[in-house]
Amino acid sequence: MIDVRSDTVTKPTEEMRKASYEAEVGDDVYGEDPTVTRLEEKAAEILGKEAALFVTSGTQGNQIAVLTHCSPGNEILLEEESHIFYYESGAVAALAGVQTRTIPGVNGMMNPQDVESAIRGEDQHFPETGLICIENTHNRAGGAVVPVSNMAEIYEVAQRYSIPVHVDGARLFNAAASSGIPIQEFTKHCDTVQICLSKGLGAPVGSIIAGSNEFIKKARKWRKRLGGGLRQVGIIAAPGLIALTQMTERLSEDHENAKFLADGLREISPLRIVNSVDTNIVVVDVSDLGMKAEQFVQALKENGVLAVTFGPTLVRLTSHFDVSRGDMETVISTVNAIVQSRK
Ligand SMILES: *Cc1c(COP(=O)(O)O)cnc(C)c1O
């Protein structure tokens, strides 16, 4: 099977497994796990923030950020198809007690004027705007890179109204690799950021949230409340350290493979590639083939390729370090065979 469902399917490398085995550990709830402490310090340094916290998943990191920034009854502003809104099981309502106000974006990008207009004024009828979230790269926009300039404009608006900005940067390192712009150019336009170690960076578990010392202190308490205080966490932090320090540079290989895949699929009429393929995600519309996404994904599976549906007629394919250029050639020829058999 060639698995292009997601970059989350990447398995830990030999080196990561070894690092787990050899990790120096302690009880992190007592602050005594030197490996996770090293990971958090390194992450803070790389992301250009005062402090960082290891959390078990991207969702947990985002939720802790919302919980830490907001109070129940607040309203948060976020893009209409953002992960926090679309894919986190309604957690911001269930856990933080905030309501969402979504802003339709273009390629994942919110218009700063739309953001400003959505900020609530002083009125006893209104909720307070507690947080603005930006997602980069934007998953449902097909891994689109949100430009630094757009983040800067939104952050400028937010600062004018004293509203914090959180970046869901599950794949922010992909944005940096694709644009060739250092990660800190992105992270300087936000108060807090979440990055996933467990996606394209290949770690088996974990995310990082980063921000001010004060934010991380409160976030640590929220993590504990959510049952996320861990003991000898160095076992999973050790591969995370390798992910963070050695796996970011190679992401452009994934991007090249995704572009190669998209170029190949574009040749296969009547398929349409609907995203800009900025990073490692390719979104294909199969509607002109008279197929539903589910049928197409099933046909792929029967022919040895795993992909996911991304809408009624949309299929998502994601490159990562466990799939090679040769695998991409196989995916293209498999898709071609399915399409030809429909004609
Ligand atoms: C994957 C993802 C998350 C959630 O990460 P998990 O580790 O799966 O909880 C959050 N935001 C975005 C944009 C993602 O792609």
Side-chain angles (χ1 to χ4, degrees):
M1 280 286 181
I2 298 174
D3 195 344
V4 286
R5 286 173 300 174
S6 176
D7 47 13
T8 57
V9 302
T10 44
K11 307 236 168 76
T13 62
E14 190 84 20
E15 201 186 346
M16 287 179 183
R17 290 169 191 267
K18 245 202 183 128
S20 275
Y21 185 79
E22 289 167 359
E24 202 187 332
V25 295
D27 187 337
D28 183 46
V29 179
Y30 286 120
E32 290 172 3
D33 188 288
T35 306
V36 80
T37 302
R38 215 178 315 132
L39 170 63
E40 290 171 345
E41 284 170 3
K42 192 73 196 165
E45 180 194 321
I46 290 173
L47 296 168
K49 298 293 177 197
E50 283 174 4
L53 186 70
F54 180 78
V55 293
T56 48
S57 69
T59 303
Q60 191 186 55
N62 286 336
Q63 292 307 319
I64 289 173
V66 175
L67 284 159
T68 306
H69 285 300
C70 298
S71 305
N74 279 177
E75 183 168 76
I76 66 171
L77 304 182
L78 68 184
E79 204 277 327
E80 188 171 60
E81 301 235 352
S82 61
H83 195 282
I84 294 176
F85 178 70
Y86 203 100
Y87 284 128
E88 299 191 7
S89 324
V92 293
L95 304 178
V98 301
Q99 68 181 29
T100 50
R101 184 153 184 198
T102 57
I103 296 172
V106 176
N107 283 331
M109 227 188 319
M110 294 183 289
N111 182 327
Q113 270 132 41
D114 293 347
V115 174
E116 182 163 6
S117 312
I119 294 171
R120 301 287 195 151
E122 279 297 326
D123 186 312
Q124 64 170 335
H125 298 89
F126 291 167
E128 273 174 40
T129 307
L131 181 66
I132 298 167
C133 300
I134 299 173
E135 183 171 316
N136 201 3
T137 62
H138 194 292
N139 182 3
R140 288 201 56 81
V145 176
V146 173
V148 167
S149 57
N150 178 257
M151 290 181 62
E153 284 177 62
I154 292 174
Y155 196 42
E156 188 276 316
V157 169
Q159 286 182 309
R160 239 185 309 123
Y161 291 84
S162 301
I163 298 167
V165 171
H166 172 68
V167 168
D168 177 358
R171 296 191 180 88
L172 191 61
F173 282 102
N174 293 83
S178 162
S179 59
I181 296 169
I183 193 118
Q184 292 195 10
E185 291 300 309
F186 291 91
T187 55
K188 74 182 186 195
H189 303 296
C190 67
D191 297 286
T192 61
V193 59
Q194 181 275 122
I195 58 118
C196 282
L197 301 167
S198 66
K199 292 191 170 167
L201 303 183
V205 188
S207 272
I208 290 286
I209 49 176
S212 68
N213 286 322
E214 195 195 342
F215 169 83
I216 291 298
K217 194 171 163 211
K218 289 184 187 156
R220 192 178 291 280
K221 190 158 213 159
W222 271 114
R223 187 184 68 172
K224 187 74 183 123
R225 282 191 184 121
L226 296 174
L230 301 174
R231 312 289 182 205
Q232 286 73 35
V233 63
I235 296 287
I236 51 176
L241 201 50
I242 293 172
L244 187 67
T245 55
Q246 295 175 36
M247 300 294 279
T248 58
E249 295 294 318
R250 59 153 306 287
L251 289 173
S252 10
E253 259 175 64
D254 296 345
H255 302 166
E256 280 159 28
N257 278 337
K259 281 196 175 66
F260 176 83
L261 175 64
D263 288 344
L265 297 180
R266 231 177 251 119
E267 299 291 307
I268 306 172
S269 163
L271 296 180
R272 281 181 296 125
I273 306 294
V274 298
N275 69 325
S276 52
V277 198
D278 291 348
T279 54
N280 63 333
I281 294 174
V282 180
V283 184
V284 189
D285 189 340
V286 298
S287 57
D288 292 344
L289 200 58
M291 278 177 105
K292 292 267 177 262
E294 263 175 48
Q295 284 175 288
F296 195 82
V297 164
Q298 184 57 32
L300 280 173
K301 191 175 174 182
E302 282 160 16
N303 290 281
V305 176
L306 297 176
V308 288
T309 62
F310 215 47
T313 63
L314 298 179
V315 175
R316 191 188 78 171
L317 302 98
T318 306
S319 62
H320 52 79
F321 79 84
D322 283 340
V323 287
S324 63
R325 180 59 63 98
D327 289 331
M328 288 309 184
E329 283 169 1
T330 308
V331 173
I332 294 165
S333 60
T334 304
V335 169
N336 191 43
I338 292 168
V339 171
Q340 299 319 318
S341 74
R342 298 279 302 179
K343 285 183 177 168

